Amino acid sequence: MGGRMAAVFCLLLVSSAAAVSVQQRSEVRYASNPIRKVVTMLQDMQKKVTEEGKKEEELYHKFMCFCKTSGGDLDASIEAA
């Protein structure tokens, strides 16, 4: 049991050190140069806008499909009334 707990402790220690390292690299990435900071921010925004555009396109296609398929039901209900 002692060996297993030591292994888990070492794993936690290594993973927390890796998380700190990633955070430090992120801070250095944004704080290194003002121009680099702006460029990186714009690149992040571009990725975000592209992803949002893909989601919006999927929603648009789903809506258009709904409009095409539900139109017959609406026509039938209008004629029945």
Side-chain angles (χ1 to χ4, degrees), residues 14-53:
V14 169
S15 64
S16 65
V20 169
S21 174
V22 168
Q23 182 181 6
Q24 287 173 345
R25 277 187 275 153
S26 162
E27 290 172 0
V28 168
R29 182 174 125 187
Y30 286 114
S32 61
N33 182 352
I35 295 173
R36 170 61 24 208
K37 181 178 179 181
V38 171
V39 170
T40 303
M41 207 166 45
L42 288 172
Q43 289 171 341
D44 291 343
M45 286 174 57
Q46 181 182 16
K47 278 194 259 182
K48 184 177 178 182
V49 168
T50 302
E51 291 171 3
E52 288 175 356

